[in-house]
Amino acid sequence: MSKHYILLADCKDEIGITSLISTIIKDTNSNIFHLDHYTDVQENENHLYLRIEFDKNDEVKSLLEKELTTKNINFQIFDAEEKVKTALLVSKEDHALSEIILRANRQEFPIEISCVISNHENNRKFVEDLGIPFHHVKVTKETKRESEDEITRICESYDVDLLVLAKYMQILSEVFVERHHLKIINIHHSFLPSFIGANPYKQAYTRGVKLIGATSHYVTEDLDAGPIIEQDVVRVNHRHSAQDMKHTGRHVESQVLARAVQWHCEHKVIVNGNKTVVFT
Amino acid sequence: MSKHYILLADCKDEIGITSLISTIIKDTNSNIFHLDHYTDVQENENHLYLRIEFDKNDEVKSLLEKELTTKNINFQIFDAEEKVKTALLVSKEDHALSEIILRANRQEFPIEISCVISNHENNRKFVEDLGIPFHHVKVTKETKRESEDEITRICESYDVDLLVLAKYMQILSEVFVERHHLKIINIHHSFLPSFIGANPYKQAYTRGVKLIGATSHYVTEDLDAGPIIEQDVVRVNHRHSAQDMKHTGRHVESQVLARAVQWHCEHKVIVNGNKTVVFT
Amino acid sequence: MSKHYILLADCKDEIGITSLISTIIKDTNSNIFHLDHYTDVQENENHLYLRIEFDKNDEVKSLLEKELTTKNINFQIFDAEEKVKTALLVSKEDHALSEIILRANRQEFPIEISCVISNHENNRKFVEDLGIPFHHVKVTKETKRESEDEITRICESYDVDLLVLAKYMQILSEVFVERHHLKIINIHHSFLPSFIGANPYKQAYTRGVKLIGATSHYVTEDLDAGPIIEQDVVRVNHRHSAQDMKHTGRHVESQVLARAVQWHCEHKVIVNGNKTVVFT
Amino acid sequence: MSKHYILLADCKDEIGITSLISTIIKDTNSNIFHLDHYTDVQENENHLYLRIEFDKNDEVKSLLEKELTTKNINFQIFDAEEKVKTALLVSKEDHALSEIILRANRQEFPIEISCVISNHENNRKFVEDLGIPFHHVKVTKETKRESEDEITRICESYDVDLLVLAKYMQILSEVFVERHHLKIINIHHSFLPSFIGANPYKQAYTRGVKLIGATSHYVTEDLDAGPIIEQDVVRVNHRHSAQDMKHTGRHVESQVLARAVQWHCEHKVIVNGNKTVVFT
């Protein structure tokens, strides 16, 4: 199979953008494999979202960059084969962590797990046995700032492009979130916006819901309110205690987070405001 | 097939209740077809829920009634063949209404649609063509009380056991709800407890969720907080406007409400506090 | 909202087709709202599938037709507002029929139910009460050919573009299928290719499956083997008799058929060989 | 929480069995927590399935054993806390293997992974790093019988009660299957009975299905036809190559197998003929 570039772009909608871009691609003798063009029709102004997957060649990238820079278009061009360097942050629970690591090991999608960072030690052996560096960064109320600075230093030392909170049970500061803007993906253990905050399974049990869920989203300053990438649910019944819901919910959490991370790494997600466009 | 009784019972758990009841049934030479015994294990005290389906005969009902009345057990005994007389309340939208009526016409479960009550006229022809009485009860802010009294009178005139709010877009008074305690089933057009209140699809669209849902519950004084019987979801994506979500959501609403009503009419639901036990 | 055309096209893949088409559209000052370009990468040759939704104007259609005709491209251009004239064929069961009719009545998607044709009389009243012409066409083994000819005549008299088999339990002749090539959508009451042929619920019950399903597909000469448009499943358990599976399965059948018909009428389906590309 | 026994029983239905058993339990002062009594109503004779979970005490087990042995009732009594000793058999693919092992490590349900047996070496490090014995048993066409004998010897040396084929890509002989009757659980990578045999994802791709699935079943002499414990599906679309379907399908395979193994180990499954009753 040929090597591909992936263009993600979005801008205020106007006539001719797809014509312009596809013609540049054609003119370099590059073939388009996928093109998703979606216009969000709003009252005030329409917004255009584009994802194009096309043959890689010497000219096409620089020509596109030159042309799109002159227009008011947000864009990024990715090499489809380049793996997204990722740091996994985890607390004690291992299920989301292991799901991502094992999928990465099977090379199911273009991700490279650069390191695992944890405020606990219990996952060290599992991670290191698989040949992945493990960093313990203790967090206390008093040292939160220093801890976050250390996490940032570790991430920078590996040159990571993505931080995945694979059940990292610490609330991140605004400063940290801002520094890694739209580079942090979280899994929340409820079907947001239900059961925001602590102990969602306890809340779900108390409310007597018949489905429990999980939500993967980009982390923003506003806790549990970032742009949603993926959600899913699983059926529960009266026999499920809050503890059973937690166990059952784990498997949905792992699957939902893994799909969200996969789509991010395949460059299928565009964020605008607090919403995502996911081209699957 | 033989004719059945269905016993629903719940009480503070103690040793020997299922032995007692199953032995009474055996002693009348009645066979048990289904027995669901579930104990909710709680910190303070355990609570027992029972559903038993067994052969109908002359003795068994009175013997059970005599014995269970002397104990502190909540119970009801239903004839499995007796249809639950039901009033459907609806505003303008017809989808939930028609789903219930058509399933009833196909005799998929033991329900009898005694009448349809609406604060609009638009569904009259559809309902009357199917041979079902249609009552228009206008509701205004000023006449809410009189309207509810009229609805109660109509329901009593048909001797109905169940009121189904099949997209009835009026908030019922506490007095009305209390009068028909645990006899009103509603469909809420969101995955509760997300998006309580008005315009849930607009809320869902604004939040950028990836699944929308519907929740069927018994109506209690506390708006949208009654015991949940059934919930389900359907996938949406960025292409769905709030209007599209409303259209897509309709079909889940109809299915979820129909399942909840079916289970109620099959005497598979026991309510305790704000939770349900559903033996499916 | 502006008025739209929808272009469906497919052809042997080559460089520049999307550039060509999007540039023609731009040159008439028409805006593109959705563009889905998908290349099926195969060993021998790649195949391109395109769906473009764009502003309607006087020039654009004839310019596209002129250009695409000179190339070896299969294409159709639809007016997004023109409803697809449809004949519904049904036997005794009413569930799929009523689902389609009621969605059409709510104008959920651009379909017009021109008539209902049945080999039974039982659905006449329901259909005619809703103001839709009903034609009874008796079918016997000896008169199959004449019956099919009559069905074709009725369809032609209404100038229908689509025949939907909403639980029409007759096997159609090759001649009839050929005459209405890719214009007939069927609902099969199993998760194809499981349980081909008669009595799929009985087969499912005997096999002890834990999910039952339904499949909507274009009808081809090869029974139950036509290109699949949509499938879905529902959970069953040991308590379900074959009869219960049939009842539960009905609701999936209705939903699956309705979605398939909707996508066809929204011009989101392209067929190639025995597969479909569905742009949802 | 108190310690429990679990009784699984099935027999030709007759009046009074649940009365008899629940009364024995009561007479030893043991409390019942769950009781599922299901009668399969058939034309010729009815069959009764029972699962009872109740307080453990010194008398109750022997009393039940004594009484049930005198009647023609198949039964087993399990200690709810005793873990089911299990051998995992695997070929090259690791996903189902790791799902089961990691859930076991998290003690989500009462299983003990005694050993892993494989006809390949590639999973040795992962397994041994987690402290689980790994046995490589080479299989060739000529040595199949000896290999199977060795597998049996290994299983016996660990005294295992369950063999889980976690993507073990060898067909087992009738002799082996008979020797471990209803003690082998397999995961088949299709929604059975669709796509029996080799390469189901290739078959699914060729047929153009819109959902792919996985099926977990007890292994019997008849390949892919044993009693089904659990099934599930996942949505695919035209963008999925056969290879993509394989990747996507893996995650359903792992989840479905894990649920089936969990229910078996929680003693929730009763097999009769080629069907299962699963009390969840």
Side-chain angles (χ1 to χ4, degrees):
Chain A
M1 204 172 125
S2 58
K3 303 189 172 198
H4 289 187
Y5 279 131
I6 294 162
L7 168 74
L8 289 186
D10 73 286
C11 60
K12 190 182 145 179
D13 186 39
E14 63 179 77
I15 288 178
I17 291 172
T18 291
S19 160
L20 173 77
I21 296 176
S22 61
T23 302
I24 293 173
I25 293 170
K26 181 205 72 176
D27 287 346
T28 70
N29 215 27
S30 162
N31 196 26
I32 293 174
F33 288 88
H34 290 296
L35 191 157
D36 297 284
H37 166 135
Y38 161 65
T39 309
D40 188 13
V41 177
Q42 297 288 343
E43 280 169 43
N44 302 321
E45 73 173 36
N46 296 344
H47 199 82
L48 169 62
Y49 300 86
L50 262 182
R51 182 186 186 274
I52 315 184
E53 197 169 335
F54 51 100
D55 278 330
K56 188 175 165 177
N57 67 41
D58 288 345
E59 296 169 274
V60 68
K61 193 178 173 192
S62 58
L63 279 174
L64 283 171
E65 284 172 340
K66 192 176 153 196
E67 189 68 30
L68 297 178
T69 309
T70 66
K71 306 224 152 209
N72 200 9
I73 298 177
N74 308 315
F75 75 96
Q76 291 175 283
I77 299 173
F78 302 95
D79 187 321
E81 287 197 325
E82 270 180 26
K83 294 178 177 178
V84 177
K85 287 183 193 163
T86 303
L88 299 180
L89 280 77
V90 68
S91 292
K92 281 195 170 166
E93 289 188 290
D94 71 303
H95 57 283
L97 173 83
S98 57
E99 186 74 26
I100 303 287
I101 290 180
L102 294 174
R103 289 195 190 195
N105 273 8
R106 288 194 291 267
Q107 306 196 42
E108 295 190 8
F109 57 95
I111 191 173
E112 179 188 317
I113 309 300
S114 302
C115 65
V116 171
I117 301 169
S118 180
N119 56 334
H120 293 276
E121 279 286 0
N122 64 301
N123 287 307
R124 180 185 290 277
K125 184 176 180 308
F126 178 81
V127 169
E128 291 185 343
D129 279 345
L130 290 165
I132 298 167
F134 180 94
H135 298 271
H136 178 236
V137 178
K138 207 177 153 185
V139 182
T140 64
K141 228 172 183 171
E142 298 73 31
T143 63
K144 192 184 183 73
R145 195 185 178 141
E146 290 79 359
S147 303
E148 289 190 351
D149 286 349
E150 193 181 341
I151 292 171
T152 295
R153 272 196 304 275
I154 294 170
C155 288
E156 285 173 358
S157 78
Y158 288 101
D159 200 18
V160 306
D161 288 317
L162 180 66
L163 285 76
V164 174
L165 309 185
K167 302 294 288 177
Y168 184 67
M169 309 309 279
Q170 296 290 324
I171 295 176
L172 300 168
S173 72
E174 279 194 34
V175 172
F176 186 87
V177 169
E178 192 49 53
R179 193 180 287 172
H180 305 277
H181 182 60
L182 294 184
K183 296 289 185 196
I184 313 177
I185 295 178
N186 185 39
I187 179 70
H188 183 77
H189 40 316
S190 86
F191 183 73
L192 288 176
S194 290
F195 312 131
I196 284 172
N199 255 330
Y201 291 123
K202 191 75 203 316
Q203 292 183 58
Y205 172 78
T206 304
R207 180 62 188 89
V209 294
K210 300 300 184 187
L211 297 169
I212 55 172
T215 304
S216 189
H217 61 93
Y218 290 105
V219 177
T220 55
E221 290 71 20
D222 200 355
L223 182 66
D224 298 339
I228 293 171
I229 309 170
E230 172 64 338
Q231 304 188 285
D232 214 343
V233 293
V234 65
R235 202 156 276 278
V236 291
N237 63 36
H238 55 271
R239 283 196 172 188
H240 287 77
S241 66
Q243 185 67 17
D244 294 333
M245 287 187 181
K246 193 176 166 181
H247 285 188
T248 300
R250 270 180 194 156
H251 312 129
V252 198
E253 294 170 17
S254 302
Q255 302 294 313
V256 166
L257 178 63
R259 288 203 292 268
V261 171
Q262 173 168 354
W263 295 337
H264 176 92
C265 293
E266 292 173 346
H267 311 297
K268 291 182 172 167
V269 187
I270 302 179
V271 180
N272 192 18
N274 75 331
K275 289 194 187 183
T276 62
V277 166
V278 185
F279 291 117
T280 49
Chain B
M1 205 172 124
S2 57
K3 302 191 172 196
H4 289 188
Y5 279 131
I6 294 162
L7 167 74
L8 289 186
D10 74 287
C11 59
K12 190 181 146 179
D13 186 36
E14 62 179 77
I15 288 178
I17 291 172
T18 291
S19 161
L20 172 77
I21 296 176
S22 60
T23 302
I24 293 173
I25 293 171
K26 181 205 73 176
D27 287 346
T28 70
N29 215 27
S30 163
N31 196 26
I32 293 175
F33 288 88
H34 289 297
L35 190 157
D36 297 283
H37 165 136
Y38 160 66
T39 310
D40 189 11
V41 177
Q42 297 288 342
E43 281 169 42
N44 303 321
E45 73 172 36
N46 295 345
H47 200 83
L48 169 63
Y49 299 86
L50 264 181
R51 181 186 188 274
I52 315 184
E53 197 170 334
F54 52 99
D55 278 330
K56 187 174 164 178
N57 67 43
D58 287 344
E59 296 169 274
V60 67
K61 194 178 174 191
S62 56
L63 279 173
L64 283 171
E65 283 173 340
K66 192 176 152 193
E67 188 68 30
L68 297 177
T69 306
T70 67
K71 306 220 151 214
N72 200 8
I73 299 175
N74 307 314
F75 76 95
Q76 291 175 282
I77 298 174
F78 302 95
D79 186 321
E81 288 197 325
E82 268 180 26
K83 295 179 176 177
V84 176
K85 287 184 194 164
T86 302
L88 300 180
L89 279 76
V90 68
S91 292
K92 279 194 172 167
E93 290 187 288
D94 71 304
H95 56 284
L97 173 83
S98 57
E99 186 74 27
I100 302 286
I101 290 180
L102 294 174
R103 290 195 191 195
N105 273 7
R106 288 193 290 266
Q107 306 197 41
E108 296 191 8
F109 57 96
I111 192 173
E112 179 187 318
I113 309 300
S114 302
C115 65
V116 171
I117 302 169
S118 180
N119 56 333
H120 293 277
E121 279 285 0
N122 64 300
N123 286 308
R124 179 185 291 278
K125 184 176 181 307
F126 178 80
V127 168
E128 292 185 343
D129 279 344
L130 291 165
I132 299 166
F134 180 94
H135 298 271
H136 178 237
V137 179
K138 206 178 155 185
V139 182
T140 65
K141 230 173 183 170
E142 297 73 33
T143 62
K144 192 184 182 71
R145 193 183 181 144
E146 289 78 0
S147 303
E148 289 190 351
D149 287 348
E150 192 180 343
I151 292 172
T152 295
R153 270 196 304 276
I154 294 170
C155 288
E156 285 172 358
S157 78
Y158 288 100
D159 199 18
V160 305
D161 288 316
L162 179 67
L163 285 75
V164 174
L165 309 185
K167 303 292 289 177
Y168 183 68
M169 309 311 278
Q170 296 290 322
I171 295 175
L172 299 169
S173 72
E174 280 193 32
V175 171
F176 187 87
V177 169
E178 193 49 54
R179 193 179 286 172
H180 304 275
H181 182 61
L182 293 184
K183 296 290 186 194
I184 313 177
I185 295 178
N186 184 39
I187 180 72
H188 183 77
H189 41 315
S190 87
F191 183 73
L192 288 175
S194 290
F195 311 131
I196 284 172
N199 255 330
Y201 291 122
K202 191 74 204 313
Q203 293 183 58
Y205 172 79
T206 304
R207 180 61 188 92
V209 295
K210 299 300 184 188
L211 297 169
I212 55 172
T215 303
S216 188
H217 60 94
Y218 290 105
V219 177
T220 55
E221 289 71 19
D222 200 355
L223 183 65
D224 297 340
I228 294 171
I229 309 170
E230 172 64 338
Q231 303 189 284
D232 213 342
V233 294
V234 66
R235 200 157 276 278
V236 291
N237 62 35
H238 55 270
R239 284 195 172 189
H240 288 77
S241 65
Q243 184 68 16
D244 294 333
M245 287 186 182
K246 193 176 165 182
H247 285 189
T248 300
R250 268 179 197 158
H251 311 129
V252 199
E253 293 169 17
S254 302
Q255 301 293 314
V256 165
L257 178 63
R259 287 203 292 269
V261 171
Q262 174 168 354
W263 295 337
H264 176 92
C265 293
E266 293 173 345
H267 312 297
K268 291 181 171 166
V269 187
I270 302 179
V271 180
N272 191 18
N274 76 330
K275 288 194 187 183
T276 61
V277 166
V278 184
F279 292 117
T280 49
Chain C
M1 207 173 125
S2 57
K3 303 190 173 198
H4 290 186
Y5 279 131
I6 294 162
L7 168 73
L8 288 186
D10 74 287
C11 59
K12 190 181 148 180
D13 186 39
E14 65 178 76
I15 288 178
I17 290 173
T18 291
S19 160
L20 171 77
I21 296 175
S22 60
T23 303
I24 293 173
I25 294 170
K26 180 205 71 174
D27 287 346
T28 70
N29 215 27
S30 163
N31 197 26
I32 293 175
F33 289 87
H34 290 296
L35 190 156
D36 297 283
H37 165 136
Y38 160 67
T39 310
D40 188 13
V41 177
Q42 297 289 343
E43 280 170 42
N44 303 321
E45 73 172 36
N46 296 345
H47 200 83
L48 169 63
Y49 299 86
L50 264 180
R51 182 185 185 275
I52 314 183
E53 197 168 335
F54 51 99
D55 278 331
K56 187 173 163 177
N57 68 41
D58 286 345
E59 293 170 275
V60 67
K61 193 178 173 191
S62 57
L63 279 173
L64 282 171
E65 283 172 341
K66 193 176 151 195
E67 190 67 30
L68 296 177
T69 308
T70 67
K71 308 223 154 215
N72 199 8
I73 299 176
N74 308 314
F75 75 97
Q76 291 175 280
I77 300 173
F78 302 96
D79 187 320
E81 288 197 325
E82 268 179 26
K83 295 180 176 176
V84 177
K85 287 183 195 162
T86 302
L88 299 180
L89 279 76
V90 67
S91 293
K92 281 194 171 167
E93 289 188 289
D94 71 305
H95 57 283
L97 173 82
S98 56
E99 187 73 29
I100 302 287
I101 290 180
L102 294 174
R103 290 194 190 196
N105 273 8
R106 288 193 290 268
Q107 306 196 40
E108 296 190 8
F109 57 95
I111 192 173
E112 179 188 318
I113 309 299
S114 303
C115 65
V116 171
I117 302 168
S118 179
N119 56 333
H120 293 276
E121 280 285 0
N122 64 301
N123 286 308
R124 178 185 292 275
K125 182 173 182 312
F126 177 81
V127 169
E128 291 185 344
D129 279 345
L130 290 165
I132 299 167
F134 180 93
H135 298 271
H136 178 237
V137 178
K138 206 178 156 186
V139 182
T140 63
K141 227 172 186 173
E142 297 72 33
T143 63
K144 192 183 184 75
R145 193 183 181 145
E146 289 78 359
S147 303
E148 288 190 351
D149 286 348
E150 192 179 342
I151 292 171
T152 295
R153 271 195 305 274
I154 295 169
C155 290
E156 285 173 357
S157 78
Y158 288 101
D159 200 17
V160 306
D161 288 317
L162 178 65
L163 286 75
V164 174
L165 310 185
K167 303 293 288 178
Y168 183 67
M169 309 310 279
Q170 295 290 325
I171 295 175
L172 299 168
S173 72
E174 280 193 31
V175 171
F176 186 87
V177 169
E178 193 49 53
R179 193 181 286 173
H180 304 277
H181 181 62
L182 294 183
K183 296 289 184 194
I184 313 176
I185 295 179
N186 185 39
I187 181 69
H188 183 77
H189 41 318
S190 87
F191 184 71
L192 287 175
S194 289
F195 310 130
I196 285 173
N199 256 328
Y201 292 122
K202 192 73 204 312
Q203 292 183 57
Y205 172 77
T206 304
R207 180 63 188 89
V209 295
K210 300 299 183 187
L211 298 168
I212 55 172
T215 303
S216 188
H217 61 93
Y218 289 105
V219 177
T220 54
E221 289 71 21
D222 200 356
L223 182 66
D224 298 340
I228 293 171
I229 308 170
E230 173 65 336
Q231 302 188 285
D232 213 341
V233 294
V234 66
R235 202 159 275 278
V236 290
N237 62 35
H238 56 270
R239 282 196 174 190
H240 287 77
S241 65
Q243 184 67 16
D244 294 334
M245 288 187 180
K246 192 176 165 180
H247 286 188
T248 301
R250 268 180 196 156
H251 312 129
V252 198
E253 295 169 19
S254 302
Q255 301 293 313
V256 165
L257 178 63
R259 289 203 292 269
V261 171
Q262 173 168 356
W263 295 337
H264 176 93
C265 292
E266 292 173 346
H267 310 297
K268 291 182 171 167
V269 187
I270 303 179
V271 180
N272 191 17
N274 76 328
K275 289 194 187 184
T276 62
V277 167
V278 185
F279 291 117
T280 49
Chain D
M1 205 173 124
S2 57
K3 303 190 173 197
H4 289 186
Y5 279 131
I6 293 161
L7 168 74
L8 288 187
D10 74 286
C11 59
K12 190 181 146 180
D13 186 37
E14 63 180 76
I15 288 178
I17 291 172
T18 290
S19 160
L20 172 77
I21 296 176
S22 61
T23 303
I24 293 173
I25 293 170
K26 181 206 70 175
D27 287 345
T28 70
N29 215 27
S30 163
N31 196 25
I32 292 174
F33 288 86
H34 289 296
L35 190 157
D36 297 284
H37 165 135
Y38 161 66
T39 309
D40 189 12
V41 177
Q42 297 289 342
E43 279 171 43
N44 302 321
E45 73 173 38
N46 296 345
H47 199 83
L48 168 64
Y49 299 86
L50 263 181
R51 182 185 185 274
I52 314 184
E53 198 170 334
F54 51 99
D55 279 331
K56 187 174 163 177
N57 67 40
D58 287 346
E59 294 169 274
V60 68
K61 194 178 172 191
S62 56
L63 279 175
L64 282 171
E65 283 173 342
K66 192 175 150 193
E67 189 68 29
L68 296 178
T69 306
T70 66
K71 307 221 153 214
N72 199 9
I73 298 176
N74 308 314
F75 76 96
Q76 292 175 282
I77 299 174
F78 302 96
D79 187 321
E81 287 197 326
E82 269 179 26
K83 295 180 177 177
V84 177
K85 288 184 192 160
T86 302
L88 299 180
L89 279 77
V90 68
S91 292
K92 281 194 169 166
E93 288 187 289
D94 72 303
H95 56 283
L97 174 82
S98 56
E99 186 74 28
I100 302 287
I101 290 179
L102 294 173
R103 290 194 190 196
N105 273 8
R106 287 193 291 267
Q107 306 196 41
E108 296 189 8
F109 58 95
I111 191 173
E112 179 188 318
I113 309 299
S114 302
C115 66
V116 171
I117 301 169
S118 180
N119 56 332
H120 293 277
E121 279 285 1
N122 64 301
N123 286 308
R124 179 184 290 277
K125 184 175 181 312
F126 178 81
V127 169
E128 291 185 342
D129 279 345
L130 291 165
I132 299 167
F134 181 93
H135 298 272
H136 178 235
V137 179
K138 206 178 154 185
V139 182
T140 63
K141 228 173 185 171
E142 297 74 31
T143 63
K144 191 182 184 74
R145 193 184 179 143
E146 289 79 358
S147 303
E148 289 190 350
D149 287 348
E150 193 181 341
I151 292 171
T152 295
R153 271 194 304 275
I154 295 169
C155 289
E156 285 172 357
S157 77
Y158 289 100
D159 200 17
V160 307
D161 287 318
L162 179 66
L163 286 75
V164 173
L165 309 186
K167 302 293 289 179
Y168 183 67
M169 309 310 278
Q170 296 289 324
I171 295 175
L172 299 168
S173 71
E174 280 193 31
V175 171
F176 186 88
V177 169
E178 191 50 51
R179 194 180 284 172
H180 305 276
H181 182 60
L182 294 184
K183 295 289 183 195
I184 313 176
I185 294 179
N186 184 40
I187 179 70
H188 184 77
H189 41 316
S190 87
F191 184 73
L192 287 175
S194 289
F195 310 131
I196 285 172
N199 257 329
Y201 291 123
K202 191 74 204 314
Q203 293 183 58
Y205 173 77
T206 304
R207 181 61 188 91
V209 293
K210 300 299 184 188
L211 298 168
I212 55 172
T215 303
S216 189
H217 61 94
Y218 290 105
V219 177
T220 54
E221 290 72 21
D222 200 356
L223 183 66
D224 298 340
I228 293 170
I229 307 169
E230 172 63 338
Q231 304 188 285
D232 213 343
V233 294
V234 65
R235 201 158 276 278
V236 291
N237 62 35
H238 55 270
R239 282 195 172 190
H240 287 77
S241 65
Q243 184 67 17
D244 295 333
M245 287 188 182
K246 192 176 165 180
H247 286 188
T248 301
R250 270 179 195 156
H251 311 128
V252 199
E253 294 169 19
S254 301
Q255 302 293 314
V256 165
L257 179 63
R259 287 204 292 270
V261 171
Q262 173 168 355
W263 295 337
H264 176 92
C265 292
E266 292 173 345
H267 312 297
K268 290 182 172 165
V269 187
I270 301 179
V271 179
N272 191 18
N274 76 329
K275 289 194 186 183
T276 62
V277 166
V278 185
F279 291 117
T280 49

